[in-house]
Amino acid sequence: MRRILPGFPLTLGFSVVYLTLIVLIPFAALAAKAFSGSWLHLWAVVTSPRVVASYELSFGAALAASLINGLFGFITAWVLTRYRFPGRRILDGLVDLPFALPTAVAGIALTALYAPNGWVGALLAKIGITAAFNRLGIVLALVFIGFPFVVRTLQPVLVALSEEVEEAAALLGATRLQTFRRVIFPAALPALLTGIALSFGRAVGEYGSIVFISGNIPYKTEITPLLIVSKLEEYDYQGAAGIGLVMLLASLGILALINTVQWWNARRIHPAH
Amino acid sequence: MAGAIQDLTTVRQSTRPRRATEEGPLTRWTLTLLSAGFFTAFLLLPLGAVFAEGLRRGAGLYFRTFTDPATLDAIKLTLFTASIAVPANTLFGVAAAWAITRFEFRGKHFLSTLIDLPLWVSPVIAGLVYVLLFGSQGVLGPWLKAHHWRIIYATPGIVIATVFVTFPFVARGLIPLMQAQGSAEEEAALTLGARGWQVFLRVTLPKIKWGLLYGIILANARAMGEFGAVSVVSGHIRGLTNTVPLQIEILYNEYAFSAAFALASLLSLLALVTLGVKSYVEWRARQQLEQSQS
Amino acid sequence: MSIRVEALSKKFAGHAAVQDASIEVGTGKLVALLGPSGSGKTTLLRLIAGLEFPDSGRVFFHGEEVTHKNAYERRAGFVFQHYALFQHLSVFDNIAFGLEVRPRATRPHRNEIRERVHCLLQLVQLEAFAKRFPSQLSGGQRQRVALARALAIEPRVLLLDEPFGALDAKVRKELRAWLRRFHDETHITSLFVTHDQEEAFEVADEVVILNHGHIQQIGAPGLLQREPANAFVHDFLGLDFQI
């Protein structure tokens, strides 16, 4: 095939070499290391009770946080796209703060805030809630980390929703709540699910913001990425690689899920004839 | 029609019925306050806490943080790392975006998925793969040792891990923009006798500059702030392989809270500047896109 | 059911979209609002539907003032220019929407809803398309689904915004004739917006000509052509003889 524009071999060649060096070879090393010893040992490592407890925590906390983000992300996206009030543009810009703020900074800031002697933590302590150095603290950090995903995937969809469709529903007698439930929500649902899944995916692998607030107690508040770091510090490379591989496969699964949601949505609105 | 956009600050006449696409004031205020409460608890208060904790022991101690030699070394290493990772990834991002948006080839979808990888893989795993490749027990470990090269627990490892976590940003910023712009202008330049590099520098680059800047800014913010991946490959050798985020962790774990937060406030400022520039660039990029579509 | 509009005015951000407009549409009439783009004809239609509220003036449906009633209370059937169909609902569910959102007390039984939707599908000649989604229909079919959906709530009047605007020339002609026949059968008081004078003259009993938010002239097609009230009407209709 003849290509009209120049630079095809150069740009593609460079991209492929770059990605091979930075991504493919290192990830092949991960797989190689995981399977380098006995398979039985690998299985024993990735299914040991302490590791399984960390999966449950990482996935459970990520799920809780992404659902909270689904709710508040929807409300925030709605308020930012539909209402006008002073300071709206600044709030809109600040939505991305968790993307821009280094996770370590987020970690110590949230800890300072929600620890029993912190600004908010002291208030919560009065009503008997401890919000740091336990699972609740982990969820709080993950809510912070995942918040922008839901808002940023929903906003364009809520902007693009045709106002006429909402007017049509109102003219046909739907109350505002019915219009929301039957017209707006179904249209925004795929974006909401995508946002929740993205926030979930990010939360499962999060490390920096959690290590400060979680307390890192084995079986209780020890997340999977932290366990990988511990294995490396014990020079158990195969163990670290094994757990890493499990997490990588989980992330792949989440990615496949997101693609499925998008495919399902495309089919729902534009089914094949 | 701007009818769906409602002004919370205007008091409406009570005789006028609600517009068909409007919620009642109670709903509007409840939603707005819920959202504002969430913003305060999760975004504004943490940001405020960083500066408040940093300044708690006074401005003198705050500024003394930045004269500590270990901290200065960390700042230098962070700047050095970003100065390599960001240009390298800019080059890669432009090349990848050019290949993906201007040509059809097999494996394009795979390439584009691969570019997103660092966005969904755990930063700890990003660090882990390099330890498994270059570490003393790693695949290339013995060979590196024989040549007396140190990558893991040394500066090269930090740079490589940073390159990994930041490479999607420039490509991701450019691909949608270049797809929307199409290649008609490049083709026109070719028919006028322009050569490959001339086409890129004179036609493409001016068209993509805001999208490019957008990607570079995000990549830079992440390069200077990355913690997980860098933490795994650094080995935390004080004054030698500490970046600013790692130095914050060390200070925090040594109970030097004021210093930790003072240093954190520096990165928070960087984050705020990034957000400000990002909003501006986003606005310019949107304008450029609209122009190219009209 | 008649429509009467008295001295209606509406401004958007200081710009007067409709100024001092008064119209009367008699029961069972089919009337066109004709004018160039930006003449305020769509705004006038939306004011009548209750999608906008006037700065001054009043709207009556059959002698009853509805100026301060919201859109649904007026029970006007409205067909949007781009149809505004619910993309995630089938043709059947689109048409049934207005019946299904009623409060339980007044909502028809499920079987009755099904029956009424099928009647409407028959009326718009789309019986075979009940299970399709809007994206699977042609422009003309979408237009008819939008019409059936508006009719499902048994509207007191029918308001159509550029009903043929988004269709190609051939379908447009067919649908025009169909709408006229449909109106002759149902006799539902109808008002439609168009920028195409041929369309207005062919379909409507009476034509209202607007420009810059002002009503220029109201009358039967023949009268307008014979006796244009001013230079604008004369030029807009392209009449090539002198007044």
Side-chain angles (χ1 to χ4, degrees):
Chain A
M1 181 180 152
R2 268 189 62 86
R3 295 186 162 86
I4 299 152
L5 289 172
F8 179 65
L10 179 70
T11 55
L12 183 64
F14 179 66
S15 305
V16 168
V17 170
Y18 199 85
L19 286 176
T20 306
L21 289 177
I22 300 282
V23 181
L24 293 181
I25 294 177
F27 278 80
L30 171 75
K33 201 76 200 175
F35 294 110
S36 64
S38 94
W39 288 55
L40 231 60
H41 175 68
L42 178 66
W43 182 251
V45 167
V46 301
T47 57
S48 73
R50 185 171 163 188
V51 177
V52 171
S54 84
Y55 299 147
E56 281 168 9
L57 174 62
S58 275
F59 285 88
L63 186 66
S66 56
L67 291 179
I68 293 172
N69 276 331
L71 177 66
F72 283 96
F74 201 116
I75 293 173
T76 301
W78 183 266
V79 169
L80 288 178
T81 50
R82 295 297 174 109
Y83 305 153
R84 290 290 172 271
F85 51 90
R88 187 188 64 91
R89 292 178 72 88
I90 293 173
L91 286 195
D92 191 79
L94 271 180
V95 167
D96 287 324
L97 184 69
F99 284 158
L101 196 69
T103 53
V105 175
I108 64 170
L110 289 168
T111 310
L113 206 55
Y114 288 98
N117 59 355
W119 296 353
V120 180
L123 293 178
L124 291 174
K126 277 193 189 134
I127 52 169
I129 298 174
T130 318
F133 313 121
N134 61 7
R135 295 183 166 197
L136 181 59
I138 297 177
V139 173
L140 287 178
L142 293 180
V143 167
F144 174 85
I145 289 301
F147 177 63
F149 289 99
V150 176
V151 180
R152 289 298 183 231
T153 43
L154 270 174
Q155 264 178 327
V157 175
L158 291 181
V159 168
L161 267 187
S162 134
E163 193 192 352
E164 286 191 348
V165 171
E166 289 174 41
E167 287 177 345
L171 283 163
L172 294 169
T175 62
R176 199 61 192 140
L177 194 63
Q178 282 175 318
T179 304
F180 178 79
R181 211 160 51 82
R182 287 169 176 261
V183 177
I184 300 169
F185 189 72
L189 183 63
L192 178 64
L193 290 179
T194 304
I196 289 175
L198 285 171
S199 138
F200 178 74
R202 174 74 208 270
V204 165
E206 177 54 21
Y207 174 73
S209 61
I210 302 180
V211 285
F212 298 98
I213 205 171
S214 71
N216 309 327
I217 308 155
Y219 293 99
K220 289 218 174 83
T221 59
E222 188 177 51
I223 52 165
T224 312
L226 181 72
L227 208 51
I228 295 178
V229 174
S230 321
K231 293 274 174 203
L232 276 179
E233 278 168 1
E234 294 160 10
Y235 297 103
D236 179 3
Y237 279 28
Q238 201 204 351
I243 303 170
L245 199 62
V246 171
M247 287 208 72
L248 196 63
L249 291 177
S251 300
L252 258 176
I254 297 164
L255 197 69
L257 190 77
I258 293 169
N259 283 334
T260 312
V261 168
Q262 274 161 356
W263 173 82
W264 162 73
N265 179 48
R267 263 191 67 97
R268 196 177 57 137
I269 305 296
H270 306 286
H273 283 256
Chain B
M1 203 55 63
I5 288 161
Q6 300 151 30
D7 199 333
L8 279 180
T9 56
T10 340
V11 183
R12 287 175 186 279
Q13 297 162 276
S14 54
T15 52
R16 170 178 294 182
R18 238 195 300 141
R19 292 176 51 93
T21 52
E22 221 171 65
E23 290 90 43
L26 187 67
T27 316
R28 264 187 283 154
W29 281 105
T30 309
L31 292 178
T32 310
L33 288 178
L34 269 177
S35 175
F38 190 87
F39 261 99
T40 311
F42 282 95
L43 300 176
L44 299 178
L45 282 180
L47 202 59
V50 172
F51 291 96
E53 294 286 328
L55 288 165
R56 181 181 262 186
R57 301 264 170 83
L61 200 67
Y62 179 87
F63 287 110
R64 209 172 311 145
T65 307
F66 303 107
T67 56
D68 174 56
T71 301
L72 281 178
D73 282 341
I75 293 176
K76 272 184 218 155
L77 182 57
T78 290
L79 290 175
F80 173 75
T81 306
S83 75
I84 295 180
V86 174
N89 283 333
T90 303
L91 212 59
F92 163 75
V94 171
W98 183 268
I100 284 177
T101 59
R102 295 294 181 254
F103 305 107
E104 287 305 320
F105 53 93
R106 283 181 58 180
K108 185 160 144 173
H109 190 73
F110 178 70
L111 185 66
S112 147
T113 309
L114 212 55
I115 290 176
D116 283 341
L117 184 86
L119 299 178
W120 51 267
V121 95
S122 170
V124 166
I125 293 181
L128 171 69
V129 294
Y130 295 111
V131 174
L132 297 179
L133 187 64
F134 300 121
S136 55
Q137 292 183 45
V139 178
L140 299 179
W143 184 78
L144 287 171
K145 199 169 182 183
H147 290 77
H148 302 287
W149 284 348
R150 247 182 117 69
I151 292 184
I152 295 306
Y153 307 139
T155 304
I158 291 183
V159 173
I160 295 173
T162 305
V163 166
F164 176 84
V165 293
T166 55
F167 78 70
F169 293 100
V170 171
R172 277 289 140 231
L174 286 181
I175 288 172
L177 182 69
M178 288 172 67
Q179 231 145 25
Q181 286 175 342
S183 50
E185 287 170 57
E186 281 83 357
E187 284 166 5
L190 283 178
T191 64
L192 296 170
R195 311 236 149 220
W197 281 109
Q198 290 175 312
V199 172
F200 178 75
L201 291 176
R202 286 165 178 262
V203 179
T204 310
L205 198 58
K207 280 203 302 181
I208 62 169
K209 63 173 186 241
W210 292 109
L212 186 64
L213 196 58
Y214 177 80
I216 291 175
I217 285 158
L218 291 188
N220 181 62
R222 186 73 198 271
M224 293 193 171
E226 177 53 28
F227 177 73
V230 169
S231 161
V232 172
V233 296
S234 73
H236 280 356
I237 300 166
R238 204 164 196 188
L240 195 62
T241 61
N242 270 338
T243 61
V244 173
L246 297 177
Q247 180 68 9
I248 291 172
E249 186 198 20
I250 289 177
L251 291 170
Y252 188 84
N253 288 342
E254 287 172 350
Y255 302 103
F257 290 132
S258 292
F261 280 102
L263 200 51
S265 72
L266 189 69
L267 288 181
S268 304
L269 274 180
L270 175 73
L272 288 177
V273 170
T274 303
L275 289 184
V277 177
K278 178 175 164 286
S279 296
Y280 175 73
V281 167
E282 242 167 7
W283 175 67
R284 292 302 304 256
R286 212 176 310 131
Q287 276 191 329
Q288 200 166 34
L289 189 64
E290 275 163 18
Q291 272 171 16
S292 71
Q293 281 171 342
S294 62
Chain C
M1 190 66 55
S2 63
I3 303 172
R4 194 167 87 240
V5 166
E6 278 182 13
L8 224 47
S9 294
K10 175 74 181 175
K11 276 185 181 163
F12 288 119
H15 162 78
V18 172
Q19 286 180 69
D20 200 25
S22 299
I23 321 174
E24 183 133 22
V25 180
T27 304
K29 283 284 194 312
L30 177 56
V31 173
L33 292 176
L34 175 66
S37 65
S39 60
K41 51 195 192 307
T42 293
T43 303
L44 184 52
L45 197 74
R46 290 170 60 89
L47 285 165
I48 295 169
L51 290 174
E52 307 284 351
F53 297 100
D55 300 329
S56 61
R58 302 199 288 177
V59 181
F60 297 87
F61 280 8
H62 214 67
E64 175 207 350
E65 181 166 3
V66 295
T67 319
H68 299 294
K69 291 200 164 176
N70 68 31
Y72 177 62
E73 289 166 335
R74 299 187 188 191
R75 245 181 61 229
F78 198 98
V79 177
F80 290 87
Q81 181 175 3
H82 299 288
Y83 323 128
L85 295 177
F86 307 125
Q87 296 294 321
H88 64 288
L89 297 180
S90 66
V91 167
F92 183 98
D93 290 332
N94 260 285
I95 298 172
F97 186 92
L99 302 173
E100 282 180 346
V101 294
R102 284 192 190 168
R104 203 169 294 259
T106 57
R107 191 190 310 153
H109 187 261
R110 215 146 47 101
N111 293 337
E112 201 193 327
I113 292 181
R114 194 181 317 145
E115 219 163 283
R116 279 168 66 178
V117 172
H118 278 294
C119 271
L120 287 162
L121 280 169
Q122 219 163 12
L123 187 71
V124 297
Q125 300 164 350
L126 286 172
E127 297 107 304
F129 296 83
K131 287 189 181 142
R132 295 270 188 104
F133 283 85
S135 59
Q136 294 169 299
L137 301 179
S138 71
Q141 290 166 336
R142 285 178 206 179
Q143 174 65 269
R144 283 180 281 151
V145 174
L147 188 60
R149 183 178 71 174
L151 291 171
I153 60 165
E154 291 167 326
R156 303 198 285 183
V157 298
L158 191 57
L159 307 170
L160 307 102
D161 187 7
E162 293 277 2
F164 316 113
L167 302 171
D168 62 51
K170 182 168 170 289
V171 182
R172 203 178 177 128
K173 275 224 160 78
E174 285 167 14
L175 215 60
R176 217 189 266 171
W178 180 85
L179 182 70
R180 181 70 235 185
R181 278 204 310 280
F182 169 83
H183 182 261
D184 291 340
E185 284 162 19
T186 57
H187 289 293
I188 178 163
T189 309
S190 306
L191 192 57
F192 75 96
V193 160
T194 180
H195 64 271
D196 179 345
Q197 52 151 312
E198 192 191 324
E199 196 165 283
F201 285 12
E202 191 185 309
V203 180
D205 301 318
E206 257 186 25
V207 177
V208 178
I209 297 185
L210 281 121
N211 190 33
H212 293 309
H214 285 285
I215 291 177
Q216 306 291 321
Q217 193 176 7
I218 305 177
L223 179 84
L224 292 178
Q225 274 169 324
R226 277 195 314 275
E227 298 168 23
N230 57 33
F232 171 79
V233 176
H234 181 271
D235 289 346
F236 184 66
L237 298 183
L239 304 175
D240 47 8
F241 55 87
Q242 295 295 308
I243 299 175

